[in-house]
Amino acid sequence: MVEYRIDRRSGVATYLQIVQQTKQALRLGLLAPGDKLPTAREVVEATAINPNTVLKAYRELEREGLVEARRGLGTFVRRSLGAAPADSPLHAELTDWAARAREAGLEHDDVAALFAAVLEEHFKGDEA
Amino acid sequence: MTDIAIAAQGLGRRFGRRGRRALDRCEFVLPAGRVCALVGPNGAGKSTLLSLAAGLLRPSEGRVTVLGTTPAGARERLAYVAQDKPLHPHLTVAATLRLGRELNPGRWDESVARRIVTDADLDMDAKIRTLSGGQRTQVALALALAKRPELLLLDEPMADLDPLARHRITGLLMADAAEHGTTIVMSSHVVAELEGSCDHLLLLGAGRVRLAGPLDDLLAAHRLVTGPAQDSLDPHTVVESRTTGRQLTALIRPAGPVPASWQTAEPTLEELVLGHLRGPDAPALSLTESEEAAA
């Protein structure tokens, strides 16, 4: 199960934050095919946002084929995203690399900037 | 179940024979299932409008239809929490809830009432008069929600709640709307607090409707623009504008493309409301449900 965190000052539309956080959970393997998303009631009770916002986010995820709504049952994950779950070799290598970067004296922001630069170089022109 | 929660036609209310009009020729339709923010400056007529919809006041002119009938006819299906949260001061919390149960046979949901009171850490044996303002508010909201209303009218419900209670109560209201499709109208001066939870807006000014409609559509109909002061804003409708040196900042309703040299952004709810409060002469704008949302 995922728990959504809504940042009202981020400038990102609330429904998009839910879409992005769901995708992030799919990428990290925190959500897998067959898993149930929280109901609109559960999400709005925890976040105090409008129910239609949650429904809009779920419709968007459904449109992208990531989840499906089953009448009376809830919304379920249909497929996963990316190929790097939390326990994959890539994740382990990156963890290793982050530890080395820290040992080398790099600070959080230095590492983030370096990572963003390499990302930009390799995925230039790809759709985000 | 009707699909219109509140409809006002030429609605007016005057206090005293020659008194000023607290509400004047108000026209709007609020579809059922919406969470509506009711905003406006002090004395705009927000509380008068809520009292009229709740059937506690009669209109001087025009009429208001609630859940497809008169406010009196809809009394069992609506709940109203007034600003001063009238409760019997000498009753205990438990007795207040019992009263609610007995006054609402067939509708009362005891678990909802208990939950709100328990979450607020209230002593069931405490007398209402010993409670703080915020605690009284939560008892009043427990009564209103446990009635399982189709329409919930709340006048400044969050004003005396602490931030945690505010979040919890808003969450409960949203959960109620999600589960039962309850229509909620809540007034507030703290506009930022309504952002995120409301999907419909009713802005009153001097007793008149200034903005009414789905929030997303109203926001999309406006732009905050910044550009050189010598440029003309024709043919756009200017809600409010300010000049600082050579720079002009304005809230407009675009009537066509805005010059590319201008910086434009969609306003937030707070910016939209503030712009209209600063520009009280801007023409009123009412939008009905867009085709897309209705589909």
Side-chain angles (χ1 to χ4, degrees), chain A residues 8 14 40-41 44-53 56, chain B residues 35 115 167 170-172 174-175 178-179 195-199:
Chain A
R8 295 188 186 214
T14 308
R41 190 206 146 97
V44 301
E45 185 159 359
T47 57
I49 61 171
N50 188 281
N52 289 321
T53 310
K56 187 174 176 184
Chain B
V35 181
R115 179 156 171 219
H167 188 85
T170 311
L172 273 177
M174 293 305 111
E179 198 166 19
E195 194 139 34
S197 53
C198 295
D199 54 19

Short mmCIF file of all heavy atoms in Angstrom, two decimals, chain A residues 8 14 40-41 44-53 56, chain B residues 35 115 167 170-172 174-175 178-179 195-199:
data_model
loop_
_atom_site.label_atom_id
_atom_site.label_comp_id
_atom_site.label_asym_id
_atom_site.label_seq_id
_atom_site.Cartn_x
_atom_site.Cartn_y
_atom_site.Cartn_z
N ARG A 8 1.58 21.28 -0.83
CA ARG A 8 0.74 22.34 -1.41
C ARG A 8 1.54 23.49 -1.99
O ARG A 8 1.03 24.32 -2.71
CB ARG A 8 -0.21 22.88 -0.36
CG ARG A 8 -1.13 21.76 -0.01
CD ARG A 8 -2.27 22.12 0.85
NE ARG A 8 -2.90 20.85 1.15
CZ ARG A 8 -4.17 20.65 1.33
NH1 ARG A 8 -4.97 21.64 1.27
NH2 ARG A 8 -4.62 19.46 1.57
N THR A 14 -2.14 18.90 -7.60
CA THR A 14 -2.28 17.84 -6.60
C THR A 14 -2.50 16.46 -7.24
O THR A 14 -1.90 15.48 -6.83
CB THR A 14 -3.44 18.17 -5.65
OG1 THR A 14 -3.24 19.49 -5.17
CG2 THR A 14 -3.48 17.22 -4.48
N ALA A 40 -10.41 6.16 -2.52
CA ALA A 40 -10.48 7.62 -2.49
C ALA A 40 -10.76 8.09 -1.06
O ALA A 40 -10.19 9.06 -0.58
CB ALA A 40 -11.56 8.12 -3.44
N ARG A 41 -11.63 7.36 -0.38
CA ARG A 41 -11.96 7.74 0.99
C ARG A 41 -10.72 7.72 1.88
O ARG A 41 -10.48 8.64 2.67
CB ARG A 41 -13.01 6.77 1.56
CG ARG A 41 -13.57 7.26 2.87
CD ARG A 41 -14.10 6.18 3.78
NE ARG A 41 -13.82 6.61 5.15
CZ ARG A 41 -14.72 7.23 5.92
NH1 ARG A 41 -15.92 7.44 5.52
NH2 ARG A 41 -14.37 7.63 7.12
N VAL A 44 -8.35 10.73 0.93
CA VAL A 44 -8.79 12.07 1.33
C VAL A 44 -8.86 12.22 2.84
O VAL A 44 -8.62 13.31 3.37
CB VAL A 44 -10.15 12.46 0.70
CG1 VAL A 44 -10.06 12.42 -0.82
CG2 VAL A 44 -11.29 11.62 1.20
N GLU A 45 -9.14 11.12 3.54
CA GLU A 45 -9.17 11.23 4.99
C GLU A 45 -7.77 11.53 5.53
O GLU A 45 -7.61 12.29 6.47
CB GLU A 45 -9.74 9.95 5.62
CG GLU A 45 -9.89 10.09 7.11
CD GLU A 45 -10.88 9.12 7.73
OE1 GLU A 45 -11.50 8.33 6.99
OE2 GLU A 45 -11.04 9.18 8.95
N ALA A 46 -6.76 10.95 4.89
CA ALA A 46 -5.39 11.15 5.37
C ALA A 46 -4.81 12.48 4.89
O ALA A 46 -3.98 13.08 5.58
CB ALA A 46 -4.51 10.00 4.90
N THR A 47 -5.21 12.96 3.71
CA THR A 47 -4.56 14.13 3.14
C THR A 47 -5.43 15.39 3.14
O THR A 47 -4.93 16.47 2.88
CB THR A 47 -4.19 13.87 1.66
OG1 THR A 47 -5.39 13.52 0.95
CG2 THR A 47 -3.19 12.74 1.52
N ALA A 48 -6.72 15.23 3.42
CA ALA A 48 -7.67 16.36 3.45
C ALA A 48 -7.81 17.05 2.09
O ALA A 48 -8.10 18.23 2.02
CB ALA A 48 -7.29 17.37 4.53
N ILE A 49 -7.59 16.31 1.00
CA ILE A 49 -7.80 16.89 -0.33
C ILE A 49 -9.16 16.46 -0.87
O ILE A 49 -9.78 15.55 -0.34
CB ILE A 49 -6.69 16.50 -1.34
CG1 ILE A 49 -6.64 14.99 -1.54
CG2 ILE A 49 -5.35 17.04 -0.88
CD1 ILE A 49 -5.73 14.56 -2.67
N ASN A 50 -9.59 17.11 -1.93
CA ASN A 50 -10.90 16.85 -2.51
C ASN A 50 -10.95 15.46 -3.17
O ASN A 50 -10.02 15.08 -3.88
CB ASN A 50 -11.19 17.94 -3.55
CG ASN A 50 -12.61 17.85 -4.08
OD1 ASN A 50 -12.91 17.04 -4.93
ND2 ASN A 50 -13.47 18.69 -3.55
N PRO A 51 -12.03 14.70 -2.95
CA PRO A 51 -12.13 13.36 -3.53
C PRO A 51 -11.98 13.34 -5.05
O PRO A 51 -11.38 12.41 -5.60
CB PRO A 51 -13.54 12.90 -3.15
CG PRO A 51 -13.96 13.75 -2.00
CD PRO A 51 -13.20 15.03 -2.10
N ASN A 52 -12.51 14.36 -5.73
CA ASN A 52 -12.41 14.37 -7.19
C ASN A 52 -10.95 14.41 -7.68
O ASN A 52 -10.65 13.94 -8.76
CB ASN A 52 -13.16 15.57 -7.77
CG ASN A 52 -14.66 15.39 -7.63
OD1 ASN A 52 -15.16 14.29 -7.81
ND2 ASN A 52 -15.35 16.45 -7.29
N THR A 53 -10.08 15.00 -6.87
CA THR A 53 -8.66 15.06 -7.23
C THR A 53 -8.07 13.65 -7.28
O THR A 53 -7.30 13.32 -8.18
CB THR A 53 -7.90 15.91 -6.19
OG1 THR A 53 -8.59 17.14 -6.02
CG2 THR A 53 -6.48 16.18 -6.63
N LYS A 56 -9.44 11.82 -10.28
CA LYS A 56 -8.79 12.30 -11.50
C LYS A 56 -7.42 11.65 -11.68
O LYS A 56 -7.06 11.21 -12.77
CB LYS A 56 -8.65 13.83 -11.43
CG LYS A 56 -8.14 14.47 -12.70
CD LYS A 56 -8.16 15.98 -12.59
CE LYS A 56 -7.56 16.62 -13.82
NZ LYS A 56 -7.49 18.09 -13.69
N VAL B 35 -17.84 20.23 -3.25
CA VAL B 35 -17.36 20.84 -2.02
C VAL B 35 -17.10 22.30 -2.37
O VAL B 35 -16.19 22.62 -3.13
CB VAL B 35 -16.07 20.16 -1.52
CG1 VAL B 35 -15.61 20.81 -0.23
CG2 VAL B 35 -16.30 18.67 -1.32
N ARG B 115 -16.64 8.83 17.00
CA ARG B 115 -15.28 8.89 16.48
C ARG B 115 -14.73 10.31 16.57
O ARG B 115 -13.60 10.52 16.99
CB ARG B 115 -15.29 8.41 15.03
CG ARG B 115 -13.93 8.48 14.48
CD ARG B 115 -13.66 7.57 13.35
NE ARG B 115 -12.36 8.00 12.88
CZ ARG B 115 -12.03 8.08 11.62
NH1 ARG B 115 -12.89 7.69 10.70
NH2 ARG B 115 -10.86 8.52 11.29
N HIS B 167 -6.84 19.68 10.19
CA HIS B 167 -6.49 18.68 9.19
C HIS B 167 -7.39 17.45 9.36
O HIS B 167 -7.90 16.91 8.38
CB HIS B 167 -5.02 18.29 9.35
CG HIS B 167 -4.52 17.40 8.25
ND1 HIS B 167 -4.06 17.87 7.06
CD2 HIS B 167 -4.45 16.05 8.17
CE1 HIS B 167 -3.72 16.86 6.29
NE2 HIS B 167 -3.94 15.75 6.93
N THR B 170 -11.02 18.37 8.29
CA THR B 170 -11.12 18.48 6.83
C THR B 170 -11.07 17.10 6.20
O THR B 170 -11.84 16.79 5.29
CB THR B 170 -9.99 19.36 6.26
OG1 THR B 170 -9.93 20.57 7.01
CG2 THR B 170 -10.25 19.73 4.81
N GLY B 171 -10.16 16.25 6.70
CA GLY B 171 -10.06 14.87 6.20
C GLY B 171 -11.37 14.12 6.37
O GLY B 171 -11.82 13.42 5.46
N LEU B 172 -12.01 14.28 7.53
CA LEU B 172 -13.29 13.61 7.78
C LEU B 172 -14.38 14.11 6.85
O LEU B 172 -15.18 13.33 6.34
CB LEU B 172 -13.73 13.86 9.23
CG LEU B 172 -13.20 12.91 10.27
CD1 LEU B 172 -13.66 13.34 11.66
CD2 LEU B 172 -13.68 11.49 9.99
N MET B 174 -13.93 15.41 3.87
CA MET B 174 -13.63 14.92 2.52
C MET B 174 -13.99 13.43 2.40
O MET B 174 -14.50 12.99 1.38
CB MET B 174 -12.14 15.11 2.18
CG MET B 174 -11.70 16.56 2.06
SD MET B 174 -12.67 17.50 0.89
CE MET B 174 -13.52 18.59 1.97
N ALA B 175 -13.72 12.67 3.48
CA ALA B 175 -14.04 11.23 3.47
C ALA B 175 -15.55 11.05 3.36
O ALA B 175 -16.04 10.18 2.65
CB ALA B 175 -13.51 10.57 4.74
N ALA B 178 -16.50 11.71 -0.13
CA ALA B 178 -16.07 10.61 -1.01
C ALA B 178 -17.02 9.42 -0.88
O ALA B 178 -17.38 8.79 -1.87
CB ALA B 178 -14.64 10.18 -0.66
N GLU B 179 -17.41 9.13 0.33
CA GLU B 179 -18.20 7.92 0.57
C GLU B 179 -19.68 8.09 0.28
O GLU B 179 -20.32 7.19 -0.26
CB GLU B 179 -18.01 7.47 2.02
CG GLU B 179 -18.40 6.04 2.24
CD GLU B 179 -17.91 5.52 3.57
OE1 GLU B 179 -17.60 6.35 4.45
OE2 GLU B 179 -17.83 4.32 3.75
N GLU B 195 -8.06 25.76 -0.31
CA GLU B 195 -7.41 25.28 -1.53
C GLU B 195 -7.09 23.80 -1.34
O GLU B 195 -6.58 23.39 -0.32
CB GLU B 195 -6.13 26.08 -1.79
CG GLU B 195 -5.58 25.89 -3.17
CD GLU B 195 -5.07 27.19 -3.76
OE1 GLU B 195 -4.56 28.02 -3.01
OE2 GLU B 195 -5.20 27.36 -4.99
N GLY B 196 -7.40 23.01 -2.32
CA GLY B 196 -7.11 21.59 -2.21
C GLY B 196 -8.33 20.79 -1.80
O GLY B 196 -8.54 19.70 -2.29
N SER B 197 -9.15 21.34 -0.89
CA SER B 197 -10.31 20.58 -0.47
C SER B 197 -11.58 20.96 -1.24
O SER B 197 -12.51 20.17 -1.31
CB SER B 197 -10.53 20.70 1.04
OG SER B 197 -10.58 22.04 1.42
N CYS B 198 -11.61 22.17 -1.80
CA CYS B 198 -12.83 22.60 -2.49
C CYS B 198 -12.69 22.45 -4.00
O CYS B 198 -11.61 22.61 -4.55
CB CYS B 198 -13.14 24.05 -2.14
SG CYS B 198 -13.53 24.24 -0.40
N ASP B 199 -13.82 22.13 -4.66
CA ASP B 199 -13.79 22.03 -6.13
C ASP B 199 -14.78 22.99 -6.77
O ASP B 199 -15.00 22.96 -7.97
CB ASP B 199 -14.04 20.59 -6.59
CG ASP B 199 -15.32 20.01 -6.02
OD1 ASP B 199 -16.19 20.79 -5.57
OD2 ASP B 199 -15.46 18.77 -6.02
#
